[in-house]
Amino acid sequence: MLFYVLGEMMSLLIGKLIPGSVCGMILLFIALTLKWIRPHDVDKAASALTRNMALFFVPASIGLMHEYKILMSNWVVLLTVSVVTTLLVIVVVGVTEEQLDRKLSHKKGGEKI
């Protein structure tokens, strides 16, 4: 909760350019990376939130159902964006994996095992 509150305050300071929850997650990530907080300290809360994650999708689903007319009037655009972005993600992940694979095999080939 502390990082959520800090993130909300940070978001207000930057003019709500980034949502407070995202700022809070970034702050938590930084604290974990710099070892200001141990993973063990957040394990219990993280596990509880993960187990109940489906509940967090209920408000978004209700919002989508409420805006049904808008979604139906723009279904072609939404479908196009979904397909294009999915394909882009697949291509980027594939290219990145190939480059990492090449780098790893080149590194192993240069060393004596």
Side-chain angles (χ1 to χ4, degrees):
M1 282 303 290
L2 172 67
F3 285 98
Y4 174 73
V5 171
L6 290 173
E8 287 294 334
M9 290 191 305
M10 185 175 159
S11 178
L12 285 172
L13 289 174
I14 61 173
K16 294 203 172 206
L17 183 65
I18 301 172
S21 56
V22 174
C23 291
M25 290 299 292
I26 292 169
L27 292 172
L28 177 61
F29 174 75
I30 291 169
L32 286 165
T33 302
L34 296 175
K35 297 187 186 324
W36 293 342
I37 294 177
R38 297 178 314 228
H40 175 72
D41 296 334
V42 294
D43 186 43
K44 189 181 276 187
S47 294
L49 289 171
T50 304
R51 277 193 308 272
N52 297 301
M53 189 179 291
L55 294 174
F56 299 115
F57 289 97
V58 172
S61 301
I62 291 171
L64 286 173
M65 288 188 292
H66 186 263
E67 302 300 335
Y68 176 77
K69 289 179 184 176
I70 294 173
L71 292 172
M72 286 296 93
S73 65
N74 295 303
W75 73 270
V76 173
V77 174
L78 293 169
L79 182 64
T80 303
V81 168
S82 295
V83 169
V84 169
T85 55
T86 299
L87 291 174
L88 281 172
V89 167
I90 290 170
V91 168
V92 168
V93 169
V95 168
T96 304
E97 175 61 25
E98 282 182 2
Q99 289 177 347
L100 290 172
D101 248 0
R102 257 190 242 123
K103 199 177 262 188
L104 184 63
S105 66
H106 178 68
K107 197 173 191 179
K108 282 185 177 180
E111 296 176 2
K112 292 182 181 178
I113 298 177

